[in-house]
Amino acid sequence: MIKLRRINNKEFVVNADFIEFVESTPDTVITLTNGVKLVVKESVDEVIEKVIEYKKKIFEGVIFNIQPMQKEYEE
């Protein structure tokens, strides 16, 4: 989940896995996989960075959990 701001500065959270694409028109518009469009204050690059950070946290957790399992198989 990533935290974003609507045009009126009200914060909300969106599931980054449901973002289909992000465009600048000039406002930043996020289209979700279900067709819902969200207009946000963040730039396209800021949204991309937030998604990357979110994905890093997810995959770091997966890698962290896999490493102990790998050690068990090596023994």
Side-chain angles (χ1 to χ4, degrees):
M1 304 288 274
I2 59 173
K3 192 181 292 188
L4 299 168
R5 292 173 295 139
R6 297 186 188 277
I7 294 299
N8 64 2
N9 273 333
K10 193 154 187 142
E11 284 190 342
F12 69 103
V13 178
V14 66
N15 187 333
D17 293 326
F18 292 129
I19 295 175
E20 188 169 2
F21 56 89
V22 183
E23 58 189 321
S24 180
T25 65
D27 292 326
T28 304
V29 180
I30 298 172
T31 303
L32 304 180
T33 55
N34 64 1
V36 170
K37 293 185 181 291
L38 305 168
V39 180
V40 298
K41 276 209 147 184
E42 289 79 1
S43 68
V44 170
D45 289 337
E46 289 171 319
V47 173
I48 291 169
E49 187 59 35
K50 287 177 180 271
V51 171
I52 290 170
E53 288 302 313
Y54 165 74
K55 297 285 184 176
K56 276 184 187 177
K57 286 179 185 177
I58 297 299
F59 288 114
E60 283 174 359
V62 169
I63 291 170
F64 178 76
N65 287 328
I66 288 175
Q67 288 173 347
M69 288 176 20
Q70 285 176 335
K71 289 179 183 175
E72 289 176 16
Y73 288 115
E74 292 171 0
E75 294 175 352

